[in-house]
Amino acid sequence: MQEIFLCTICNVSSGSCAEDCAYCTQSAKYNADIERYKYKPIPQILEEAKRASENGALGFCLVTSGRELDNKRTEYIAQAARAIVDSRLHLHLIGCSGIASVEALRELKSAGIASYNHNLEASRNFFPKICTTHSFEERYETCENALKAGLGLCSGGIFGMGEGWQDRMDLLYALQTLNPHSVPINFFIPNPALPLTQEILSQEEALECVKLAREYLPNVRLMIAGGRERVFGENQKALFECGINAVVLGDYLTTKGNTPKDEIERIKSYGYGIAISCE
C-alpha cells in the first residue's frame, strides 16, 4: 500500500511583508484581510508541533513572512527548533524564512532544522511578472545555499498565475536541476486584495500540471498544498492517482484547510496509508 507523507505548516510570523509578490496575501502592499502578528511565543509553537504529531504529521514547517532570514529570524527559528527537538516529538523540522545565506542556514541546521523550504514559484521568464522586489536568481541561489548548508531542500511553485505551458515546463526543469527531496504544488486562488485576477484552474488543467510535475520529477516527494480544496473540493482521488504522495495537513499560512481528521479519512478512503516514517 502506498503511504502518504503528511506535513503541517506553522505560521509563526504573519503578514507585513515588504515584498510585492502578486500572489501573496502576506504582502503589506495589498492590505489583504488577514491576521497579522510578530513571532508566536515558543510555547504556542511547541503546542502546535505536539498537535501536528498527534494528528499524524511527520513534517512541521516553521514559516516567517518577510524578505530574508536575517539574524533575528535565525535566532528565533533556532530557538523554536531546539524546543521541539527537546520535546522528543521526532518531527522532520522545516524552516521557511525567505532568502537565506549559507551561514544562516547552517545555524538552523545546528539547531535541528532538517530541511529548508524556498519555492521558486514560477519560471525565470515569468517571475518578473509576479514579483519586482527580488529576483528568480535570488530564489534559486537560496535553494543552492540550503543544499550547501547540508539541509534537505523543499522547493516548488504555483500554477495558475497566468503562465503558459512553456513557463510550467521551465519551472519544473529548474526544480529538476536542484534535485529537491520535496516539491510542493500550489494552485493560485484569487483574493480581492491581490493584483492577480486569474480564474481558478479547472480540475483537468490542474491535473495536467500534476502529471507534468511527476514526469519531470519522478523521485521527489510531490506534495499537494495550497488551492487543492478550491480546485478539487471533496473529490481529490485523481491527485494521488497522478503522482501526489504528500499532503499539507490542516491550515495554510493565511487560509483554513480541512480538519486533519477529515483529511486522513479521505486519504484512507482512496486506498492509501499514512506514512509513519520520513524514510
Side-chain angles (χ1 to χ4, degrees):
M1 178 186 295
Q2 182 179 351
E3 294 184 337
I4 307 301
F5 180 93
L6 303 178
C7 182
T8 294
I9 295 172
C10 180
N11 193 10
V12 297
S13 174
S14 178
S16 304
C17 178
E19 303 299 284
D20 69 354
C21 304
Y23 53 84
C24 185
T25 55
Q26 297 212 78
S27 172
K29 295 181 180 294
Y30 307 131
N31 297 311
D33 183 18
I34 64 168
E35 187 179 3
R36 302 178 191 277
Y37 51 85
K38 295 285 188 183
Y39 301 118
K40 281 180 182 176
I42 300 298
Q44 184 178 345
I45 295 173
L46 184 57
E47 185 59 36
E48 289 187 33
K50 290 178 180 177
R51 191 158 58 246
S53 180
E54 290 169 357
N55 287 332
L58 292 175
F60 190 71
C61 187
L62 299 161
V63 185
T64 62
S65 69
R67 175 184 173 84
E68 61 187 347
L69 183 62
D70 57 21
N71 290 338
K72 184 176 182 180
R73 286 194 181 95
T74 302
E75 182 179 348
Y76 170 71
I77 295 298
Q79 183 182 356
R82 291 189 184 97
I84 296 169
V85 170
D86 289 345
S87 70
R88 300 183 184 278
L89 293 173
H90 305 295
L91 290 166
H92 181 92
L93 297 183
I94 307 154
C96 180
S97 294
I99 295 164
S101 67
V102 175
E103 292 73 24
L105 292 166
R106 283 176 176 156
E107 189 168 338
L108 292 190
K109 185 176 187 292
S110 68
I113 295 292
S115 298
Y116 196 70
N117 170 226
H118 194 58
N119 294 334
L120 295 183
E121 305 298 22
S123 69
R124 185 186 305 271
N125 287 336
F126 190 77
F127 191 83
K129 298 179 182 179
I130 56 169
C131 181
T132 67
T133 48
H134 63 270
S135 68
F136 176 92
E137 287 75 16
E138 288 174 288
R139 283 184 172 266
Y140 192 93
E141 183 180 14
T142 291
C143 292
E144 290 182 311
N145 288 346
L147 296 171
K148 290 176 183 176
L151 291 166
L153 176 61
C154 173
S155 184
I158 305 172
F159 294 116
M161 298 188 290
E163 76 284 349
W165 281 104
Q166 186 60 55
D167 291 309
R168 293 168 182 172
M169 290 186 284
D170 289 346
L171 165 63
L172 293 168
Y173 175 73
L175 290 168
Q176 192 181 67
T177 63
L178 288 165
N179 194 28
H181 69 72
S182 183
V183 174
I185 298 295
N186 301 274
F187 303 117
F188 176 70
I189 302 299
N191 182 292
L194 296 177
L196 281 181
T197 57
Q198 300 296 319
E199 293 185 3
I200 298 174
L201 288 180
S202 68
Q203 291 187 14
E204 292 74 18
E205 187 170 1
L207 286 175
E208 287 302 315
C209 292
V210 173
K211 290 176 185 177
L212 190 67
R214 181 50 83 194
E215 180 182 336
Y216 270 76
L217 303 158
N219 300 315
V220 303
R221 184 178 291 147
L222 196 61
M223 180 179 295
I224 197 68
R228 69 189 161 96
E229 293 89 350
R230 289 287 300 277
V231 174
F232 292 94
E234 297 299 311
N235 186 19
Q236 299 176 21
K237 184 177 182 181
L239 284 166
F240 301 96
E241 293 173 340
C242 289
I244 291 297
N245 57 0
V247 167
V248 172
L249 187 69
D251 296 337
Y252 300 94
L253 291 174
T254 61
T255 58
K256 288 287 185 181
N258 295 322
T259 66
K261 180 182 177 182
D262 289 345
E263 204 69 76
I264 291 171
E265 287 180 354
R266 179 184 294 109
I267 291 170
K268 289 182 176 179
S269 76
Y270 297 153
Y272 299 94
I274 303 301
I276 59 174
S277 169
C278 291
E279 297 302 322

